[in-house]
Amino acid sequence: MRGPLLLVAALGLFAMLDANSKLLSGAYPPAQVVASRYVVLLALLVLARLLRSGAGGPLATRHPGLQVLRSAAMVGSAFSFYLALRRLPLAEGYLVYFTAPFMVLGLFHLVLRERAPPAAWACCALGFAGVLVALWPGLRAGGEWAAYGWALFGTLCYATVMTINRALRHEPGQARLILWSSAPGLLAVAPFALAVWVPPTAGDALALAVNGVFAGGATLCLAAAFRHASAARLAPVEFTALVWAVLFDVALWGHWPPAATWIGAVIVVAAGLLGQRAAKGAG
């Protein structure tokens, strides 16, 4: 269960990152928030290696092209969802995002030649049904087509990151992962961040720094999950992001979801558990 549990941890950290970013979004542009995240990650890496030589393992990679592509996909996902959710209701943006498990199964088959059993596709379909039940009251299908396009592109970028994580599973190392996921992204985002920079207050500077910690932890857990498990086991677990979203909505904003959301969350958890049983049986 190491892979699925690491993915659940990654989704929880991403939920913390999203919640913290939502609190900051009214005051700071997205380029600044993303650039600050990368600066913190790189600063922590440098500090760790100053305190202990070689901390986190080697920095060099045998696959620089894949590493840069992963970094680009991470930046693309972050900005695409920002552009989408400015014009879409949250429920509809989430519904598009939850097509990611199907994309992951497809990309793993096309790119990595890892075939998922029919049961994995069925569990993903069950999980998507749970999401649909949960989000149905908020769906209006009235958003701009461009916004749906950005949400779909962001989801494809996210699925690409997970596929590359699996492809690079034989090249582990925390330092290498942080460096190659952050440095190219910072180089790409920094000019835009500097152009719109808003000086943060002391409290907001701390929140921006915490974003970097959440992002780093989520990135490490996500990469580790795909080193230990196949898409067939992990794809159904993706839908548990809905559970994290519900929990943070209640804890931070006091928004108690309607009954349909709780029913959908139960279906999502059931799909994840059934997916584990199906993958074990297939293995």
Side-chain angles (χ1 to χ4, degrees):
M1 291 296 293
R2 184 179 298 177
L5 290 176
L6 282 166
L7 181 56
V8 170
L11 294 173
L13 288 166
F14 277 129
M16 294 180 190
L17 176 65
D18 290 341
N20 198 34
S21 297
K22 184 176 180 179
L23 293 172
L24 292 166
S25 62
Y28 302 97
Q32 179 176 349
V33 175
V34 174
S36 299
R37 178 192 312 175
Y38 289 141
V39 168
V40 169
L41 281 172
L42 291 171
L44 289 175
L45 176 60
V46 170
L47 178 61
R49 293 179 78 87
L50 286 175
L51 293 175
R52 184 167 68 87
S53 179
L59 298 175
T61 177
R62 292 172 294 172
H63 306 282
L66 280 178
Q67 295 281 5
V68 172
L69 180 60
R70 175 167 58 184
S71 180
M74 292 170 70
V75 173
S77 180
F79 277 92
S80 294
F81 278 112
Y82 174 81
L83 292 171
L85 294 178
R86 284 197 308 179
R87 305 174 184 177
L88 281 180
L90 196 59
E92 294 182 25
Y94 274 10
L95 192 60
V96 175
Y97 159 74
F98 279 115
T99 61
F102 300 102
M103 291 186 185
V104 169
L105 291 178
L107 285 174
F108 271 48
H109 177 62
L110 292 174
V111 178
L112 304 178
R113 303 303 179 189
E114 290 189 16
R115 185 186 297 273
W121 289 93
C123 290
C124 283
L126 179 62
F128 190 76
V131 171
L132 190 60
V133 168
L135 301 181
W136 186 263
L139 298 179
R140 298 199 300 270
E144 301 176 16
W145 283 107
Y148 291 112
W150 280 118
L152 191 62
F153 180 70
T155 303
L156 179 59
C157 288
Y158 178 71
T160 300
V161 170
M162 292 192 285
T163 304
I164 295 174
N165 283 342
R166 183 67 172 171
L168 293 175
R169 65 187 181 278
H170 299 304
E171 191 179 71
Q174 297 175 338
R176 178 190 290 121
L177 177 58
I178 293 299
L179 175 68
W180 285 92
S181 64
S182 301
L186 181 59
L187 290 174
V189 174
F192 302 98
L194 292 174
V196 294
W197 189 268
V198 177
T201 63
D204 287 350
L206 178 60
L208 288 167
V210 169
N211 252 8
V213 176
F214 289 155
T219 299
L220 293 172
C221 287
L222 191 64
F226 280 89
R227 284 201 301 272
H228 293 291
S230 66
R233 292 199 67 184
L234 296 179
V237 180
E238 276 286 327
F239 294 103
T240 59
L242 174 69
V243 179
W244 286 113
V246 170
L247 292 176
F248 278 101
D249 217 23
V250 172
L252 296 179
W253 289 281
H255 296 161
W256 284 89
T261 302
W262 293 107
I263 295 172
V266 171
I267 296 174
V268 161
V269 172
L273 294 175
L274 287 172
Q276 302 313 301
R277 292 178 62 88
K280 286 181 180 179

